[in-house]
Amino acid sequence: MPLSFRFLYGGMKSIQLLVYISLFISGAVALVQDIFAASGGKIVIPLDTRLEYTSGILCNRFVWTFKRPRQFLRQLAGVDDYCNKRDCNNERRPHCSLSTNGSLQLHDVKPDDAGEYIITTYHVNKAKSTEDTFNLHVLDAVSKPVISLSCVSEGQPVVLCRAEKGTNVSTSIIANGELLLEKAASEGEGQLFKVSSSAPWNISCSITNKVSQETINAEYSMCPVPLSELHLEMLCHLDRSVEITCKAENGSEPSFSWFVDGNPVRYSSSWKVTENVLSGSARTAVNITCSARNAISSVQSSVTSVSCPADAHSWTLSVFCKGLLFLQYNVLLISLIYDVIRSNRIGDLEKP
C-alpha cells in the first residue's frame, strides 16, 4: 500500500473514531429529565444555564422547542442575538409564556402539552452552548377517595379504597396504626387490603400520583351487612297524592336515592323525599325508581306507571259510607237485643 494512501486511510479512521467518541460523550451528557404536571394546573420548566449576556446590544441567544411523539420539532419561544424576546403567547398555545429568567411557563396544562421540551442556549459568537431536554407527563389529579370495608366468610375484614379520577395512582392504607403494603392501581379502580387486627378499625387511605395526593379516614365498629332486595310500598291519599316507601329487609346504614321518570328528585321539585319515603302528586302516571347503597353494596327497584285513580276519592267515600252504615246497623242491633233482654227481665219481676 502506498504511503500516502496509508496515511489517508489512517487519518479517516482517526476522524471516524473521534466522531464516535464525540457522539458517545454527547449522548451520555444529553440526559432527558422526566417532569410531571396536573391537567388544568401550571408548571415552570427551568432554564438552568447561567447566561452571561441577557441585556444590551448583544445577548446569549436561547430557543425553546417542543416535540410531541412522532412529530417534528417546533419552536415555542426564545431570545435572539439582539435581545429581542419572542414569547409563545399565540393562538395555538395561549397558555405558554417566558419568565424573566427565560424559564418556560405553562398555564392551564392540557393533555396535548405532553412531550419533549428542549432548551438550547448559545454563546454570543453563535456557537451552541448547552441543550437540555425535559419530557413532560400530564396526569389527572387524584379525586377524593372512597373507602369501604367488608368481611369475608372467615370474618376477616377487607378494605377497598379507590378514587374516581387520577392517572398512575398508588394506594396505601393504615389500619389501626399498621401500614399495609402500597399498591398501584389504574384510574377508577380500587385496591383490596386485608386487615389482620380486630374491631374496632381506624382506617386511613391515601391515594397519590406524581402531581397530587388525597387522604380519607374512616372508623368501623363492625362489618357492614350487604343490602337485600328492595321493596316498594305505595299508599294513595284522598287528594290523589301518593307516598312510596322503599325498604330493604337487611343491610347496614343504607342511603336512598329516588328518580322520577329517570330524573333525580330534588328537594325543590314537586316531589319530596324524607329518608326512604317519596311523596308527591300521582294525578298522572309516572315511573318511580328507588336505589339504595351502603359501604359495600348497591341495589335498585323500580315501579312503572304509578298513579292514583280519579275515583280514589269516591271509592274511599263509598267505603267510609258503607262502614258507617255497618256501624249504625250494629248499634241498632245491639240496642234491640238490649231492649229484648231488658223487657224479659221486667216481665220476670212482675210475675207473682
Side-chain angles (χ1 to χ4, degrees), residues 7 70 128 133 146 158 269 281 305 307 320 330:
F7 175 77
R70 298 180 295 278
K128 182 186 290 188
T133 301
V146 178
V158 177
S269 71
S281 174
S305 300
S307 64
F320 175 76
N330 281 279

Side-chain angles (χ1 to χ4, degrees), residues 147-149 174 176 201-205 216-220:
I147 189 171
S148 59
L149 181 141
I174 298 176
N176 290 352
W201 300 285
N202 190 335
I203 309 294
S204 176
C205 171
I216 187 172
N217 299 299
E219 294 184 358
Y220 299 92

Side-chain angles (χ1 to χ4, degrees), residues 49-96:
T49 302
R50 183 174 180 180
L51 302 177
E52 188 176 358
Y53 301 101
T54 58
S55 62
I57 300 176
L58 296 177
C59 283
N60 290 110
R61 176 180 172 234
F62 66 87
V63 178
W64 280 100
T65 52
F66 172 64
K67 181 180 181 297
R68 291 196 184 96
R70 298 180 295 278
Q71 291 188 8
F72 295 106
L73 280 172
R74 181 165 57 88
Q75 286 195 12
L76 288 179
V79 171
D80 64 17
D81 300 325
Y82 300 99
C83 304
N84 296 315
K85 181 181 177 182
R86 177 177 173 269
D87 213 335
C88 54
N89 285 332
N90 53 53
E91 292 182 359
R92 297 189 62 184
R93 199 167 282 270
H95 53 286
C96 167

